[in-house]
Amino acid sequence: MADTSVRFERGSWEWVPDREAVSFFGETDLGAVEFLITSEALIELLNPDLEAVDSETAIEIFIEFEDDIHRIARREFVSRLGGEPPILLTAADVAG
């Protein structure tokens, strides 16, 4: 069975305006895998009572919670058996 672990490098991210999400990549034994975490998921990490955040705030939240986001991304990657990239992380994934 192939190793399903995914490794991340801190500071490797990009805001994707049309998806209102932060894109980041993980590295597996089979190559790079793209992940997207929605601004709603980022809000869930910071303060679920917030209505919305702008792109700068979303990036700040991503940076602050990057280790947690990578942990969630690993969990979701394994539970989805890889899945079709990009792997979308939503507020439900963060809350779960």
Side-chain angles (χ1 to χ4, degrees):
M1 181 177 194
D3 184 7
T4 57
S5 67
V6 59
R7 298 164 302 282
F8 297 97
E9 201 172 303
R10 289 185 56 83
S12 177
W13 47 264
E14 176 181 36
W15 177 252
V16 182
D18 60 321
R19 300 292 298 264
E20 292 190 27
V22 174
S23 169
F24 60 102
F25 287 85
E27 202 54 51
T28 70
D29 290 342
L30 302 175
V33 177
E34 183 181 13
F35 292 83
L36 287 172
I37 184 164
T38 65
S39 59
E40 290 85 5
L42 293 167
I43 290 169
E44 184 71 26
L45 285 169
L46 181 67
N47 179 353
D49 294 331
L50 287 177
E51 292 289 322
V53 294
D54 60 24
S55 61
E56 285 183 31
T57 304
I59 290 167
E60 288 173 6
I61 297 168
F62 183 90
I63 292 168
E64 181 177 343
F65 290 95
E66 192 166 6
D67 290 334
D68 295 325
I69 292 166
H70 290 169
R71 181 184 47 75
I72 293 164
R74 275 187 203 92
R75 179 190 73 208
E76 291 304 314
F77 180 79
V78 171
S79 72
R80 298 176 195 192
L81 299 174
E84 283 295 312
I87 296 177
L88 184 64
L89 303 176
T90 65
D93 300 318
V94 170

